[in-house]
Amino acid sequence: MGIVVVEICDGSLITEIDLEKIIESKYPEVAVIESSCLSFCGMCAKRPYAIVNGKRIFAKTTEECLRLIMKQIEVELAIFA
């Protein structure tokens, strides 16, 4: 388990990309956890989103969401540096 946790819903539009492979290969201290539901009803079908250490990250496109997730990961990792 990493010091930064990225949670995604298996119904989220962010699953269009292999987020786990992208994130965990770049950031070995990050764990990506896919759940069947994160209890944000309807959000997963409307736009890509994830939760990074308890903070919701969402965007209009998958690419933008990935960029914002990585930005938040950098913020979280800076706390432990």
Side-chain angles (χ1 to χ4, degrees):
M1 181 71 69
I3 58 173
V4 176
V5 177
V6 177
E7 298 174 87
I8 59 172
C9 174
D10 66 4
S12 174
L13 295 174
I14 196 70
T15 59
E16 293 175 351
I17 60 173
D18 190 350
L19 188 67
E20 184 174 3
K21 182 178 179 182
I22 294 167
I23 297 294
E24 290 183 356
S25 66
K26 182 169 180 152
Y27 304 101
E29 57 275 85
V30 176
V32 177
I33 300 172
E34 187 171 326
S35 301
S36 60
C37 183
L38 294 175
S39 300
F40 292 105
C41 295
M43 182 181 271
C44 60
K46 294 179 183 173
R47 54 179 51 190
Y49 86 100
I51 299 173
V52 179
N53 276 7
K55 296 170 186 78
R56 281 186 290 168
I57 308 295
F58 56 93
K60 290 184 179 182
T61 67
T62 302
E63 294 78 19
E64 181 185 6
C65 191
L66 176 60
R67 184 182 57 76
L68 293 173
I69 290 167
M70 292 171 121
K71 184 177 176 182
Q72 186 61 40
I73 288 170
E74 293 289 340
V75 169
E76 298 291 326
L77 289 175
I79 294 169
F80 297 100

